[in-house]
Structure formats: C-alpha cells, structure tokens
Amino acid sequence: MKKLISVGICLLIILSTTFCLTACKSRTDEMVDLEIYTTKQMTKTKKQVIKCINKQDKEGLKKLFSKDAQKHIEDLDGKLDQLIGAFNGNKIESAKGLSPAFEGSADAQPLHIYGEYRLTINSEEKYRIYISLCDKNDEESDKEGVFQIELRTFSREESPRDFSGGAYQDDYGVFIYTLQNYPKK
C-alpha cells in the first residue's frame, strides 16, 4: 500500500511539473511572438515615416496618423510641414534603434508600440525620432495608427544637461525639439 501511495505521489509530482513547464513555455512563446510582431509593425511604420519625410510627402505622413489623432492635433498640416522642414531637404540615410517597447497584448487591447531611432543624415548621426502608434484597438478603430512623432534635432551627446525629455509618451502630436526650444527642467 505504501508503495502504491509513493508511486501515486511521484506520478502527481511529475504531471504537475510537466504541466507547469509547458504553461511557462507557452507564456514565454507568447511574449516572444508579441515582441516579434511589435518589432515588425514598428519597422514597417518607421520605414513609411522615413519614406514620407525623404519624399517630402506631407499627405502620406498625415495618412499614417490615426483618425482620432488627426482630429485632436491642432494645426497638424503646419506641424508636418515643420517636421519635414527640419531636415532642410536632406535625406535620412538610416534609422537605427533597439527593439520597440509596447503596452498591452493581443488579448488586452489597445496595443501601443513605441520606437526610438537614431537617424543618420549626411553620414552623421544627428537627430533622434520617436514614433508612437496604436496598432490594435478593436473597440475604437479610429485610434489605430500613429498618434505621436517627436523629433530631436540634436544627438544624445549634444543634449543639454537640463533637457528634461520631450512630450509625454501618450500625448497626441508632432513635437520638434531643437537646442533653442527644448523643454527645460
């Protein structure tokens, strides 16, 4: 009888361990899949933004913004003109950044994705661009799309000591910071 109870307990321990390991693995796989998905979505959006800036295509850039952001950003056309004008006709040669950050999940919407990229212009890293987009929102589809672009026209090394960062990450808008107009502490 003792052997039977011991075998039963061992079998339960093995089954529970197996169940726990497979459950953890599937959660890990889900997170990896979500990271791959968000990276692809942000890479696609980044390429579209850069293409529009390089072609000076204000209307194309405007279409990337969500319908809700287009309604709530005051003077969006003027701000997009300023964004494109900040490059003085120079082309963005490359944009390098880390994997984007995200809030939400495929199950818990909305899914917001945030990307930061160092831009190379004329073979020199000079500017940084931050792009925020809402990728999924089944309940409010008019909020899907880019809702914020922030451009800093100075490198990290040139950042003033009293630079307190730019806009809040969930603000709607197009924000352009130069060494003359950066937000101070």
Side-chain angles (χ1 to χ4, degrees), residues 76-106:
L76 179 59
D77 288 323
K79 290 178 180 176
L80 292 175
D81 284 335
Q82 289 176 355
L83 176 67
I84 291 169
F87 292 91
N88 297 318
N90 294 314
K91 303 278 188 222
I92 299 169
E93 295 172 6
S94 70
K96 295 179 182 170
L98 303 173
S99 291
F102 58 90
E103 289 178 3
S105 71

PDB file of all heavy atoms in Angstrom, residues 76-106:
ATOM      1  N   LEU A  76      -2.212  70.204 -37.571  1.00  0.00           N
ATOM      2  CA  LEU A  76      -1.404  69.041 -37.978  1.00  0.00           C
ATOM      3  C   LEU A  76      -0.640  69.325 -39.266  1.00  0.00           C
ATOM      4  O   LEU A  76       0.545  69.002 -39.367  1.00  0.00           O
ATOM      5  CB  LEU A  76      -2.291  67.798 -38.137  1.00  0.00           C
ATOM      6  CG  LEU A  76      -1.589  66.519 -38.585  1.00  0.00           C
ATOM      7  CD1 LEU A  76      -0.484  66.120 -37.603  1.00  0.00           C
ATOM      8  CD2 LEU A  76      -2.594  65.385 -38.745  1.00  0.00           C
ATOM      9  N   ASP A  77      -1.284  69.967 -40.243  1.00  0.00           N
ATOM     10  CA  ASP A  77      -0.597  70.269 -41.506  1.00  0.00           C
ATOM     11  C   ASP A  77       0.634  71.141 -41.282  1.00  0.00           C
ATOM     12  O   ASP A  77       1.703  70.882 -41.831  1.00  0.00           O
ATOM     13  CB  ASP A  77      -1.552  70.952 -42.493  1.00  0.00           C
ATOM     14  CG  ASP A  77      -2.587  69.996 -43.061  1.00  0.00           C
ATOM     15  OD1 ASP A  77      -2.239  68.823 -43.309  1.00  0.00           O
ATOM     16  OD2 ASP A  77      -3.742  70.412 -43.246  1.00  0.00           O
ATOM     17  N   GLY A  78       0.494  72.168 -40.464  1.00  0.00           N
ATOM     18  CA  GLY A  78       1.615  73.057 -40.170  1.00  0.00           C
ATOM     19  C   GLY A  78       2.745  72.331 -39.444  1.00  0.00           C
ATOM     20  O   GLY A  78       3.918  72.540 -39.740  1.00  0.00           O
ATOM     21  N   LYS A  79       2.383  71.456 -38.511  1.00  0.00           N
ATOM     22  CA  LYS A  79       3.397  70.718 -37.759  1.00  0.00           C
ATOM     23  C   LYS A  79       4.113  69.703 -38.645  1.00  0.00           C
ATOM     24  O   LYS A  79       5.315  69.481 -38.502  1.00  0.00           O
ATOM     25  CB  LYS A  79       2.771  70.044 -36.545  1.00  0.00           C
ATOM     26  CG  LYS A  79       2.375  71.068 -35.498  1.00  0.00           C
ATOM     27  CD  LYS A  79       1.721  70.446 -34.300  1.00  0.00           C
ATOM     28  CE  LYS A  79       1.377  71.564 -33.318  1.00  0.00           C
ATOM     29  NZ  LYS A  79       0.659  71.079 -32.162  1.00  0.00           N
ATOM     30  N   LEU A  80       3.392  69.100 -39.585  1.00  0.00           N
ATOM     31  CA  LEU A  80       4.037  68.170 -40.514  1.00  0.00           C
ATOM     32  C   LEU A  80       4.976  68.920 -41.453  1.00  0.00           C
ATOM     33  O   LEU A  80       6.041  68.413 -41.797  1.00  0.00           O
ATOM     34  CB  LEU A  80       2.990  67.372 -41.291  1.00  0.00           C
ATOM     35  CG  LEU A  80       2.175  66.381 -40.452  1.00  0.00           C
ATOM     36  CD1 LEU A  80       1.088  65.721 -41.301  1.00  0.00           C
ATOM     37  CD2 LEU A  80       3.064  65.339 -39.810  1.00  0.00           C
ATOM     38  N   ASP A  81       4.588  70.140 -41.858  1.00  0.00           N
ATOM     39  CA  ASP A  81       5.495  70.979 -42.658  1.00  0.00           C
ATOM     40  C   ASP A  81       6.772  71.271 -41.878  1.00  0.00           C
ATOM     41  O   ASP A  81       7.877  71.218 -42.428  1.00  0.00           O
ATOM     42  CB  ASP A  81       4.814  72.302 -43.047  1.00  0.00           C
ATOM     43  CG  ASP A  81       3.805  72.149 -44.170  1.00  0.00           C
ATOM     44  OD1 ASP A  81       3.932  71.195 -44.970  1.00  0.00           O
ATOM     45  OD2 ASP A  81       2.872  72.993 -44.247  1.00  0.00           O
ATOM     46  N   GLN A  82       6.639  71.569 -40.576  1.00  0.00           N
ATOM     47  CA  GLN A  82       7.811  71.837 -39.742  1.00  0.00           C
ATOM     48  C   GLN A  82       8.679  70.590 -39.608  1.00  0.00           C
ATOM     49  O   GLN A  82       9.909  70.681 -39.638  1.00  0.00           O
ATOM     50  CB  GLN A  82       7.381  72.298 -38.348  1.00  0.00           C
ATOM     51  CG  GLN A  82       6.780  73.677 -38.307  1.00  0.00           C
ATOM     52  CD  GLN A  82       6.277  74.023 -36.908  1.00  0.00           C
ATOM     53  OE1 GLN A  82       6.299  73.194 -35.994  1.00  0.00           O
ATOM     54  NE2 GLN A  82       5.818  75.256 -36.741  1.00  0.00           N
ATOM     55  N   LEU A  83       8.032  69.433 -39.445  1.00  0.00           N
ATOM     56  CA  LEU A  83       8.777  68.181 -39.315  1.00  0.00           C
ATOM     57  C   LEU A  83       9.597  67.914 -40.564  1.00  0.00           C
ATOM     58  O   LEU A  83      10.800  67.658 -40.489  1.00  0.00           O
ATOM     59  CB  LEU A  83       7.815  67.010 -39.053  1.00  0.00           C
ATOM     60  CG  LEU A  83       8.440  65.617 -38.998  1.00  0.00           C
ATOM     61  CD1 LEU A  83       9.356  65.487 -37.785  1.00  0.00           C
ATOM     62  CD2 LEU A  83       7.354  64.556 -38.957  1.00  0.00           C
ATOM     63  N   ILE A  84       8.969  68.013 -41.710  1.00  0.00           N
ATOM     64  CA  ILE A  84       9.674  67.784 -42.975  1.00  0.00           C
ATOM     65  C   ILE A  84      10.743  68.856 -43.179  1.00  0.00           C
ATOM     66  O   ILE A  84      11.870  68.566 -43.587  1.00  0.00           O
ATOM     67  CB  ILE A  84       8.668  67.742 -44.152  1.00  0.00           C
ATOM     68  CG1 ILE A  84       7.801  66.478 -44.041  1.00  0.00           C
ATOM     69  CG2 ILE A  84       9.394  67.797 -45.492  1.00  0.00           C
ATOM     70  CD1 ILE A  84       6.604  66.439 -44.976  1.00  0.00           C
ATOM     71  N   GLY A  85      10.417  70.095 -42.845  1.00  0.00           N
ATOM     72  CA  GLY A  85      11.361  71.205 -43.000  1.00  0.00           C
ATOM     73  C   GLY A  85      12.573  71.111 -42.084  1.00  0.00           C
ATOM     74  O   GLY A  85      13.626  71.673 -42.392  1.00  0.00           O
ATOM     75  N   ALA A  86      12.444  70.410 -40.973  1.00  0.00           N
ATOM     76  CA  ALA A  86      13.565  70.280 -40.032  1.00  0.00           C
ATOM     77  C   ALA A  86      14.758  69.561 -40.657  1.00  0.00           C
ATOM     78  O   ALA A  86      15.885  69.705 -40.196  1.00  0.00           O
ATOM     79  CB  ALA A  86      13.119  69.531 -38.772  1.00  0.00           C
ATOM     80  N   PHE A  87      14.520  68.833 -41.736  1.00  0.00           N
ATOM     81  CA  PHE A  87      15.603  68.105 -42.398  1.00  0.00           C
ATOM     82  C   PHE A  87      16.270  68.924 -43.501  1.00  0.00           C
ATOM     83  O   PHE A  87      17.236  68.472 -44.102  1.00  0.00           O
ATOM     84  CB  PHE A  87      15.069  66.774 -42.950  1.00  0.00           C
ATOM     85  CG  PHE A  87      14.698  65.817 -41.866  1.00  0.00           C
ATOM     86  CD1 PHE A  87      13.416  65.784 -41.349  1.00  0.00           C
ATOM     87  CD2 PHE A  87      15.650  64.971 -41.323  1.00  0.00           C
ATOM     88  CE1 PHE A  87      13.071  64.922 -40.324  1.00  0.00           C
ATOM     89  CE2 PHE A  87      15.317  64.098 -40.294  1.00  0.00           C
ATOM     90  CZ  PHE A  87      14.026  64.075 -39.800  1.00  0.00           C
ATOM     91  N   ASN A  88      15.757  70.105 -43.760  1.00  0.00           N
ATOM     92  CA  ASN A  88      16.344  71.017 -44.755  1.00  0.00           C
ATOM     93  C   ASN A  88      16.605  70.337 -46.095  1.00  0.00           C
ATOM     94  O   ASN A  88      17.617  70.581 -46.738  1.00  0.00           O
ATOM     95  CB  ASN A  88      17.655  71.621 -44.230  1.00  0.00           C
ATOM     96  CG  ASN A  88      17.442  72.475 -43.009  1.00  0.00           C
ATOM     97  OD1 ASN A  88      16.483  73.238 -42.957  1.00  0.00           O
ATOM     98  ND2 ASN A  88      18.305  72.333 -42.025  1.00  0.00           N
ATOM     99  N   GLY A  89      15.725  69.454 -46.510  1.00  0.00           N
ATOM    100  CA  GLY A  89      15.887  68.765 -47.786  1.00  0.00           C
ATOM    101  C   GLY A  89      16.871  67.612 -47.755  1.00  0.00           C
ATOM    102  O   GLY A  89      17.045  66.922 -48.750  1.00  0.00           O
ATOM    103  N   ASN A  90      17.541  67.397 -46.632  1.00  0.00           N
ATOM    104  CA  ASN A  90      18.471  66.271 -46.505  1.00  0.00           C
ATOM    105  C   ASN A  90      17.682  64.974 -46.352  1.00  0.00           C
ATOM    106  O   ASN A  90      16.609  64.948 -45.765  1.00  0.00           O
ATOM    107  CB  ASN A  90      19.381  66.450 -45.280  1.00  0.00           C
ATOM    108  CG  ASN A  90      20.301  67.627 -45.436  1.00  0.00           C
ATOM    109  OD1 ASN A  90      20.921  67.810 -46.476  1.00  0.00           O
ATOM    110  ND2 ASN A  90      20.389  68.444 -44.401  1.00  0.00           N
ATOM    111  N   LYS A  91      18.244  63.907 -46.875  1.00  0.00           N
ATOM    112  CA  LYS A  91      17.606  62.594 -46.807  1.00  0.00           C
ATOM    113  C   LYS A  91      18.086  61.842 -45.569  1.00  0.00           C
ATOM    114  O   LYS A  91      19.246  61.932 -45.176  1.00  0.00           O
ATOM    115  CB  LYS A  91      17.943  61.757 -48.049  1.00  0.00           C
ATOM    116  CG  LYS A  91      17.557  62.406 -49.359  1.00  0.00           C
ATOM    117  CD  LYS A  91      16.110  62.190 -49.661  1.00  0.00           C
ATOM    118  CE  LYS A  91      15.806  62.673 -51.067  1.00  0.00           C
ATOM    119  NZ  LYS A  91      14.579  63.391 -51.165  1.00  0.00           N
ATOM    120  N   ILE A  92      17.182  61.083 -44.991  1.00  0.00           N
ATOM    121  CA  ILE A  92      17.538  60.191 -43.896  1.00  0.00           C
ATOM    122  C   ILE A  92      18.164  58.963 -44.528  1.00  0.00           C
ATOM    123  O   ILE A  92      17.536  58.284 -45.342  1.00  0.00           O
ATOM    124  CB  ILE A  92      16.299  59.799 -43.072  1.00  0.00           C
ATOM    125  CG1 ILE A  92      15.654  61.043 -42.453  1.00  0.00           C
ATOM    126  CG2 ILE A  92      16.664  58.777 -41.993  1.00  0.00           C
ATOM    127  CD1 ILE A  92      14.291  60.791 -41.838  1.00  0.00           C
ATOM    128  N   GLU A  93      19.421  58.698 -44.189  1.00  0.00           N
ATOM    129  CA  GLU A  93      20.127  57.559 -44.779  1.00  0.00           C
ATOM    130  C   GLU A  93      19.834  56.264 -44.038  1.00  0.00           C
ATOM    131  O   GLU A  93      19.753  55.205 -44.650  1.00  0.00           O
ATOM    132  CB  GLU A  93      21.628  57.843 -44.795  1.00  0.00           C
ATOM    133  CG  GLU A  93      21.994  59.006 -45.701  1.00  0.00           C
ATOM    134  CD  GLU A  93      23.452  59.416 -45.581  1.00  0.00           C
ATOM    135  OE1 GLU A  93      24.231  58.738 -44.872  1.00  0.00           O
ATOM    136  OE2 GLU A  93      23.822  60.427 -46.199  1.00  0.00           O
ATOM    137  N   SER A  94      19.726  56.341 -42.727  1.00  0.00           N
ATOM    138  CA  SER A  94      19.402  55.140 -41.951  1.00  0.00           C
ATOM    139  C   SER A  94      18.802  55.538 -40.618  1.00  0.00           C
ATOM    140  O   SER A  94      18.953  56.672 -40.170  1.00  0.00           O
ATOM    141  CB  SER A  94      20.643  54.265 -41.731  1.00  0.00           C
ATOM    142  OG  SER A  94      21.534  54.889 -40.837  1.00  0.00           O
ATOM    143  N   ALA A  95      18.100  54.582 -40.016  1.00  0.00           N
ATOM    144  CA  ALA A  95      17.488  54.778 -38.706  1.00  0.00           C
ATOM    145  C   ALA A  95      17.732  53.518 -37.897  1.00  0.00           C
ATOM    146  O   ALA A  95      17.248  52.452 -38.249  1.00  0.00           O
ATOM    147  CB  ALA A  95      16.008  55.055 -38.849  1.00  0.00           C
ATOM    148  N   LYS A  96      18.519  53.665 -36.830  1.00  0.00           N
ATOM    149  CA  LYS A  96      18.844  52.502 -36.006  1.00  0.00           C
ATOM    150  C   LYS A  96      18.277  52.702 -34.613  1.00  0.00           C
ATOM    151  O   LYS A  96      18.335  53.794 -34.064  1.00  0.00           O
ATOM    152  CB  LYS A  96      20.357  52.304 -35.931  1.00  0.00           C
ATOM    153  CG  LYS A  96      20.967  51.973 -37.262  1.00  0.00           C
ATOM    154  CD  LYS A  96      22.455  51.814 -37.158  1.00  0.00           C
ATOM    155  CE  LYS A  96      23.022  51.540 -38.548  1.00  0.00           C
ATOM    156  NZ  LYS A  96      24.452  51.609 -38.582  1.00  0.00           N
ATOM    157  N   GLY A  97      17.757  51.633 -34.063  1.00  0.00           N
ATOM    158  CA  GLY A  97      17.214  51.679 -32.717  1.00  0.00           C
ATOM    159  C   GLY A  97      17.141  50.290 -32.135  1.00  0.00           C
ATOM    160  O   GLY A  97      17.455  49.298 -32.800  1.00  0.00           O
ATOM    161  N   LEU A  98      16.723  50.229 -30.903  1.00  0.00           N
ATOM    162  CA  LEU A  98      16.540  48.950 -30.234  1.00  0.00           C
ATOM    163  C   LEU A  98      15.156  48.407 -30.554  1.00  0.00           C
ATOM    164  O   LEU A  98      14.345  49.083 -31.188  1.00  0.00           O
ATOM    165  CB  LEU A  98      16.696  49.138 -28.726  1.00  0.00           C
ATOM    166  CG  LEU A  98      18.021  49.739 -28.272  1.00  0.00           C
ATOM    167  CD1 LEU A  98      17.981  50.033 -26.779  1.00  0.00           C
ATOM    168  CD2 LEU A  98      19.166  48.792 -28.588  1.00  0.00           C
ATOM    169  N   SER A  99      14.860  47.218 -30.086  1.00  0.00           N
ATOM    170  CA  SER A  99      13.512  46.685 -30.251  1.00  0.00           C
ATOM    171  C   SER A  99      12.537  47.655 -29.613  1.00  0.00           C
ATOM    172  O   SER A  99      12.817  48.219 -28.558  1.00  0.00           O
ATOM    173  CB  SER A  99      13.379  45.318 -29.578  1.00  0.00           C
ATOM    174  OG  SER A  99      14.132  44.362 -30.255  1.00  0.00           O
ATOM    175  N   PRO A 100      11.404  47.842 -30.236  1.00  0.00           N
ATOM    176  CA  PRO A 100      10.449  48.797 -29.668  1.00  0.00           C
ATOM    177  C   PRO A 100       9.839  48.290 -28.359  1.00  0.00           C
ATOM    178  O   PRO A 100       9.810  47.097 -28.100  1.00  0.00           O
ATOM    179  CB  PRO A 100       9.390  48.913 -30.757  1.00  0.00           C
ATOM    180  CG  PRO A 100       9.497  47.676 -31.556  1.00  0.00           C
ATOM    181  CD  PRO A 100      10.928  47.242 -31.474  1.00  0.00           C
ATOM    182  N   ALA A 101       9.359  49.224 -27.580  1.00  0.00           N
ATOM    183  CA  ALA A 101       8.631  48.888 -26.357  1.00  0.00           C
ATOM    184  C   ALA A 101       7.150  48.826 -26.704  1.00  0.00           C
ATOM    185  O   ALA A 101       6.720  49.384 -27.714  1.00  0.00           O
ATOM    186  CB  ALA A 101       8.883  49.958 -25.305  1.00  0.00           C
ATOM    187  N   PHE A 102       6.388  48.133 -25.875  1.00  0.00           N
ATOM    188  CA  PHE A 102       4.955  48.071 -26.134  1.00  0.00           C
ATOM    189  C   PHE A 102       4.185  47.969 -24.834  1.00  0.00           C
ATOM    190  O   PHE A 102       4.713  47.566 -23.810  1.00  0.00           O
ATOM    191  CB  PHE A 102       4.603  46.905 -27.065  1.00  0.00           C
ATOM    192  CG  PHE A 102       5.013  45.543 -26.557  1.00  0.00           C
ATOM    193  CD1 PHE A 102       4.169  44.790 -25.773  1.00  0.00           C
ATOM    194  CD2 PHE A 102       6.260  45.019 -26.876  1.00  0.00           C
ATOM    195  CE1 PHE A 102       4.547  43.541 -25.308  1.00  0.00           C
ATOM    196  CE2 PHE A 102       6.651  43.767 -26.427  1.00  0.00           C
ATOM    197  CZ  PHE A 102       5.778  43.021 -25.632  1.00  0.00           C
ATOM    198  N   GLU A 103       2.917  48.394 -24.905  1.00  0.00           N
ATOM    199  CA  GLU A 103       1.986  48.272 -23.791  1.00  0.00           C
ATOM    200  C   GLU A 103       0.770  47.543 -24.323  1.00  0.00           C
ATOM    201  O   GLU A 103       0.255  47.887 -25.384  1.00  0.00           O
ATOM    202  CB  GLU A 103       1.542  49.643 -23.291  1.00  0.00           C
ATOM    203  CG  GLU A 103       2.592  50.415 -22.577  1.00  0.00           C
ATOM    204  CD  GLU A 103       2.100  51.787 -22.161  1.00  0.00           C
ATOM    205  OE1 GLU A 103       0.920  52.106 -22.387  1.00  0.00           O
ATOM    206  OE2 GLU A 103       2.906  52.540 -21.618  1.00  0.00           O
ATOM    207  N   GLY A 104       0.297  46.570 -23.571  1.00  0.00           N
ATOM    208  CA  GLY A 104      -0.870  45.814 -23.993  1.00  0.00           C
ATOM    209  C   GLY A 104      -0.456  44.464 -24.508  1.00  0.00           C
ATOM    210  O   GLY A 104       0.681  44.026 -24.360  1.00  0.00           O
ATOM    211  N   SER A 105      -1.407  43.780 -25.109  1.00  0.00           N
ATOM    212  CA  SER A 105      -1.148  42.469 -25.685  1.00  0.00           C
ATOM    213  C   SER A 105      -2.181  42.228 -26.771  1.00  0.00           C
ATOM    214  O   SER A 105      -3.087  43.039 -26.963  1.00  0.00           O
ATOM    215  CB  SER A 105      -1.239  41.380 -24.620  1.00  0.00           C
ATOM    216  OG  SER A 105      -2.569  41.199 -24.214  1.00  0.00           O
ATOM    217  N   ALA A 106      -2.046  41.120 -27.449  1.00  0.00           N
ATOM    218  CA  ALA A 106      -3.021  40.785 -28.479  1.00  0.00           C
ATOM    219  C   ALA A 106      -4.394  40.581 -27.848  1.00  0.00           C
ATOM    220  O   ALA A 106      -5.415  40.803 -28.486  1.00  0.00           O
ATOM    221  CB  ALA A 106      -2.583  39.534 -29.221  1.00  0.00           C
TER     222      ALA A 106
END
